[in-house]
Amino acid sequence: MFEKELDNFIKNALLEDIGDGDHTSLGCISKETISKAHLLVKDNGIIAGIELAKKIFNQVDNSLTITQKLNDGDTVKYGDTAFNVEGKSQSILQAERLVLNCMQNMSAIATKTHHLNLLINDTKCKILDTRKTTPLNRIIQKWAVKIGGGINHRYGLFDMIMIKDNHIDIAGGISNAINKTKKYLANNNKKLDIIVEARTLDEVNEIIKHNGIKRILLDNFNIENTKKAINIIEGKCESESSGKITEENIKQYAQCGVNFISLGCLTHSIQNFDLSLKSI
């Protein structure tokens, strides 16, 4: 499924960019012209998207030759070369922008994820991503989180039950929402993990009374109440913290004993990693 979705992503992204042709390259460069370029790193961090770049080049022109110098997940510094690509100049230029757009975004996400992981690496807590991704780019952004050492949360609305505040309020309370959900799953013969969001310690106490809950999401809890919530949960299910978590306090949350910390900032407000594809 992943490979099929990835191929569709590449196909649609190329169609968006190339349309009926790269008329600049077609107009000023002969189709027989052969050239070589390298992917130049102009930042410090974690490189991500090399495997994707190879797939993009291959879909544009499977006669292009890519020589890897680095692998996804490698630590890089300014001046490093990630790979060389050689072949028809028109093909390289057609793929250039998509490769750069993807790799710059993916490397930034992987770098951020890696950095936050280092801040809590002496705890048992794991970092999760969220659904706060750029529409139609989720597949590569979640891939980048994994390259950076994070864990993918649910991929979409279809692969996990996550009962959040709006579901709870509309359903008429936590217990109603949980019971209706369990009935729905049974009636439709679906086996999906159930996560329930808690806004208060009272809600944690109500959720923990129900069997079959995979995880409780502690939403916008402060440090003191997070510790209290973990004492209430007592390992009966997994725990996750989310909201108001920053580089400055992430270790404090992890030290509370939560199993996971989910962070929208990994994907929704990331600054691009500087990369260039230059002829050599």
Side-chain angles (χ1 to χ4, degrees), residues 11-271:
K11 186 184 299 180
N12 290 327
L14 288 171
L15 180 62
E16 175 187 58
D17 201 32
I18 297 173
D20 69 345
D22 173 11
H23 299 300
T24 308
S25 298
L26 292 170
C28 66
I29 298 173
S30 168
K31 65 179 181 179
E32 293 84 14
T33 302
I34 301 296
S35 60
K36 187 176 182 179
H38 64 178
L39 196 289
L40 182 63
V41 177
K42 301 168 70 176
D43 220 327
N44 301 315
I46 303 297
I47 196 74
I50 294 174
E51 291 302 316
L52 176 61
K54 288 160 62 177
K55 290 179 182 293
I56 293 170
F57 283 122
N58 183 67
Q59 195 162 131
V60 169
D61 182 350
N62 60 17
S63 71
L64 293 174
T65 301
I66 291 88
T67 305
Q68 276 184 249
K69 305 292 185 180
L70 299 168
N71 296 306
D72 284 331
D74 283 350
T75 300
V76 295
K77 63 183 184 304
Y78 190 104
D80 286 343
T81 296
F83 59 77
N84 295 334
V85 56
E86 186 171 6
K88 295 177 182 177
S89 302
Q90 289 183 356
S91 298
I92 293 173
L93 291 168
Q94 284 178 6
E96 174 187 13
R97 179 43 54 193
L98 179 57
V99 166
L100 288 174
N101 285 348
C102 292
M103 287 195 65
Q104 287 176 321
N105 184 244
M106 290 180 71
S107 296
I109 291 170
T111 298
K112 180 76 170 181
T113 305
H114 177 74
H115 171 66
L116 291 172
N117 260 325
L118 288 178
L119 298 179
I120 62 169
N121 65 359
D122 61 345
T123 74
K124 295 181 179 180
C125 184
K126 306 297 182 184
I127 288 179
L128 298 173
D129 56 21
T130 70
R131 286 171 49 240
K132 296 176 183 178
T133 54
T134 305
L136 303 181
N137 281 250
R138 184 169 294 171
I139 190 168
I140 66 168
Q141 292 181 329
K142 282 183 170 285
W143 188 3
V145 169
K146 291 183 72 173
I147 291 170
I151 298 174
N152 292 154
H153 211 315
R154 56 177 178 163
Y155 188 82
L157 294 172
F158 55 85
D159 60 346
M160 185 182 289
I161 297 290
M162 191 165 178
I163 303 174
K164 301 191 72 176
D165 53 355
N166 285 334
H167 302 100
I168 291 166
D169 293 341
I170 294 170
I174 285 174
S175 292
N176 277 346
I178 292 173
N179 291 333
K180 288 178 180 178
T181 296
K182 288 182 176 180
K183 184 177 180 180
Y184 167 82
L185 292 174
N187 289 342
N188 290 275
N189 195 29
K190 288 187 175 295
K191 295 182 179 180
L192 297 174
D193 289 335
I194 300 175
I195 296 178
V196 186
E197 181 179 278
R199 295 165 286 188
T200 66
L201 292 172
D202 285 341
E203 290 188 341
V204 174
N205 276 306
E206 184 174 356
I207 296 166
I208 208 68
K209 294 176 183 178
H210 292 267
N211 295 323
I213 303 302
K214 173 74 172 178
R215 188 184 308 157
I216 296 178
L217 168 59
L218 307 174
D219 184 48
N220 287 304
F221 277 49
N222 60 27
I223 298 294
E224 181 183 355
N225 283 340
T226 300
K227 292 177 181 177
K228 291 179 179 178
I230 296 304
N231 288 333
I232 294 169
I233 295 169
E234 288 186 322
K236 296 184 180 72
C237 65
E238 295 175 350
S239 57
E240 173 186 340
S241 285
S242 184
K244 298 181 180 178
I245 297 173
T246 65
E247 289 189 21
E248 288 71 30
N249 64 24
I250 189 171
K251 187 165 185 175
Q252 288 179 277
Y253 276 96
Q255 289 172 333
C256 290
V258 293
N259 300 111
F260 302 98
I261 291 175
S262 55
L263 297 159
C265 67
L266 295 180
T267 53
H268 71 52
S269 56
I270 208 76
Q271 184 176 351

